[in-house]
Amino acid sequence: MNKLIVFVVMGLSFICRIEAQTSVLKFRDDKTFKIVQFTDLHYVYSEPEKSKPALDCIQHVLEIEKPDFIVLTGDLVFGKPALAGLEKLLSPIMERSIPFAVTWGNHDDEQDVSRAELQKYVEKLPGNLGKMVSGLPGYSNFLLTIRSATENKDAAAIYCLDSHAYSTIPSIKGYGWIRPEQIRWYAEQSRFLTERNGGIPLPALAFFHIPFPEFQEAASNDGIRLIGNRWEKVCSPALNTGLYTAMLDAKDVMGVFVGHDHDNDYVMDYNGIILGYGRYSGGQTVYNNLPEGNGARVIVLKEGSRSFKTWIRLSNGEIRSKIDETSLPKEE
């Protein structure tokens, strides 16, 4: 749903484009909208037995939760042939005709196809809503809006960003970072949606693979309460490009959800933005030490409210770390 908006500043007009995808997402009649986040599935096509728990997790969680939308936050495939593995992994989702989107991780394009080829492939799949925005670094950058249950307007937004893979600067080691151009794009889209919403920021969530440095800052702060498991250090990039600050300035993003660190599944409130992990959703192809096995994060938005509920749904059906408000009250 690309729309042009004309702004007038000091008598001068200029045109900006809102780059939201054509929306098929809509709040239910009861004004709720349920999202399931799968992350770090690490599916290896040539190792079906080790990978089977990833497929089982998708099947079991979807049977129970019946979400309106699914987001997969990176490291979906971990072996050759990558496209065959990707098709196998996404089949349970496509069979249920549930809309979905993919943000790539640092391992997805280490197999036998490039990031560009992965994106081109997934964009052709039925149900995929994540269409690459041209002109930005990376491939899984896009904005999706959720329509109101009763009114002809957007009621919430979902930002997905490509957090890339590894540092491209030889003197800086470690993981990649979300680039300034992507952050400017996010800020522009947020501003346009706010303007169209009568000056009120549209409630939003953001998803990507690698956590930004504020995850480590918040987790190291003794005054901040973590709900969930923290079994490893935050593996964020060495450079901070300012995405978190841009979100604080825009006042729209309520929660940021990532993957990457397999042994973390906690959430925490950092200056009014929930920073959270999904739950490791994969099998036995890579390290994973969280108790009670794999699972997924569930997020339920409420139209008209700047809050959401969230919990971990384990593959065995059990619920963990259920939060009834974004203010993080006592865990149930």
Side-chain angles (χ1 to χ4, degrees):
M1 183 177 59
N2 289 355
K3 293 189 177 182
L4 296 177
I5 293 182
V6 178
F7 288 88
V8 179
V9 179
M10 297 180 66
L12 299 176
S13 63
F14 59 97
I15 298 176
C16 296
R17 183 179 297 275
I18 293 182
E19 299 186 67
Q21 311 293 341
T22 300
S23 182
V24 299
L25 305 178
K26 186 177 181 180
F27 279 92
R28 300 179 184 182
D29 291 342
D30 65 357
K31 296 193 173 183
T32 63
F33 185 87
K34 182 182 287 188
I35 301 168
V36 163
Q37 176 197 6
F38 295 108
T39 195
D40 295 88
L41 289 138
H42 283 273
Y43 192 86
V44 179
Y45 188 79
S46 62
E47 298 182 359
E49 288 305 311
K50 289 184 177 180
S51 297
K52 185 176 182 296
L55 291 176
D56 291 343
C57 178
I58 294 174
Q59 296 275 13
H60 296 163
V61 171
L62 295 185
E63 285 170 6
I64 296 170
E65 294 292 351
K66 298 177 174 56
D68 302 297
F69 177 65
I70 297 164
V71 58
L72 303 102
T73 49
D75 285 0
L76 277 65
V77 289
F78 197 58
K80 304 174 184 177
L83 294 183
L86 190 59
E87 181 179 9
K88 184 75 172 177
L89 195 62
L90 296 176
S91 291
I93 296 172
M94 293 187 289
E95 288 168 1
R96 290 170 170 79
S97 300
I98 302 173
F100 71 94
V102 173
T103 67
W104 303 114
N106 52 295
H107 289 303
D108 288 303
D109 57 355
E110 291 179 339
Q111 316 315 319
D112 54 352
V113 292
S114 68
R115 219 174 183 84
E117 291 172 310
L118 285 167
Q119 183 65 28
K120 183 178 180 180
Y121 175 82
V122 80
E123 286 194 9
K124 296 179 180 178
L125 297 179
N128 172 61
L129 301 184
K131 310 297 183 182
M132 181 185 74
V133 174
S134 61
L136 292 179
Y139 294 89
S140 49
N141 301 295
F142 41 87
L143 163 63
L144 302 171
T145 57
I146 308 171
R147 303 292 287 175
S148 167
T150 57
E151 300 180 67
N152 184 27
K153 67 174 186 177
D154 292 329
I158 298 172
Y159 294 95
C160 290
L161 294 165
D162 194 324
S163 56
H164 305 283
Y166 304 99
S167 170
T168 55
I169 301 175
S171 61
I172 299 176
K173 305 304 179 182
Y175 293 106
W177 46 84
I178 293 172
R179 310 289 174 78
E181 301 97 314
Q182 296 169 270
I183 298 171
R184 285 195 294 270
W185 172 81
Y186 152 71
E188 289 168 359
Q189 304 311 305
S190 173
R191 185 170 65 250
F192 302 154
L193 290 176
T194 298
E195 179 73 16
R196 193 170 65 181
N197 196 43
I200 301 172
L202 209 60
L205 299 176
F207 294 90
F208 42 91
H209 183 68
I210 301 174
F212 49 45
E214 282 82 2
F215 272 76
Q216 178 60 30
E217 291 179 14
S220 302
N221 189 323
D222 291 339
I224 291 179
R225 181 167 176 249
L226 277 63
I227 294 179
N229 292 287
R230 185 194 182 198
W231 284 33
E232 67 174 307
K233 179 183 176 181
V234 175
C235 294
S236 58
L239 292 185
N240 190 330
T241 49
L243 177 58
Y244 173 73
T245 300
M247 290 175 173
L248 286 176
D249 288 342
K251 298 180 176 63
D252 60 342
V253 171
M254 303 180 293
V256 177
F257 294 95
V258 299
H260 190 53
D261 302 334
H262 302 178
D263 288 349
N264 293 333
D265 72 351
Y266 58 87
V267 294
M268 52 193 171
D269 185 343
Y270 195 39
N271 300 314
I273 297 178
I274 303 301
L275 304 184
Y277 284 93
R279 173 84 177 200
Y280 176 77
S281 307
Q284 302 307 317
T285 55
V286 287
Y287 83 94
N288 62 102
N289 301 294
L290 287 180
E292 302 159 323
N294 60 2
R297 177 163 294 283
V298 183
I299 304 165
V300 178
L301 299 173
K302 182 71 173 179
E303 183 180 343
S305 173
R306 291 193 58 81
S307 65
F308 57 87
K309 299 180 181 181
T310 186
W311 59 87
I312 297 296
R313 174 71 70 176
L314 298 177
S315 184
N316 66 13
E318 296 180 7
I319 289 179
R320 290 291 181 270
S321 304
K322 184 176 182 181
I323 311 300
D324 277 337
E325 300 290 344
T326 55
S327 57
L328 300 186
K330 183 178 180 181
E331 177 183 352
E332 290 187 355

